[in-house]
Amino acid sequence: RGLLTAEDGPYWGCGLVGALPGISANGVADAETQRLIDGMKTSSSFNKVTYWNWNLAPESTDGSPQYLTKDFIFMPEQWGA
């Protein structure tokens, strides 16, 4: 049937949590990481990869920053009060 569309969903698709190797501080992914991201984007009607953690914004995991690209939708576990 092809890629999911907004009319099909919304479907959040596959997601990730934690520091992702291969994404620089300026939000650019290396080729291998971009291939993973591109594959995961097809599971979402938003054509984005869902990313979450337990706080309000990406932070650090064991000293490694949680950098993201424009291909992500960040979903905080805690929503601001």
Side-chain angles (χ1 to χ4, degrees):
R1 173 178 149 143
L3 297 176
L4 294 170
T5 66
E7 293 81 35
D8 295 323
Y11 293 106
W12 295 102
C14 299
L16 297 168
V17 64
L20 302 172
I23 300 178
S24 67
N26 62 355
V28 176
D30 65 25
E32 184 176 358
T33 301
Q34 190 62 53
R35 239 184 350 267
L36 171 68
I37 292 168
D38 290 343
M40 292 183 75
K41 286 172 32 177
T42 65
S43 71
S44 165
S45 59
F46 300 103
N47 199 35
K48 300 279 185 177
V49 178
T50 304
Y51 183 89
W52 69 276
N53 72 21
W54 293 269
N55 292 307
L56 299 174
E59 49 185 36
S60 292
T61 303
D62 297 327
S64 297
Q66 297 173 349
Y67 296 129
L68 304 177
T69 72
K70 62 181 174 42
D71 301 304
F72 287 85
I73 295 176
F74 178 74
M75 300 295 296
E77 179 67 19
Q78 300 175 20
W79 295 85

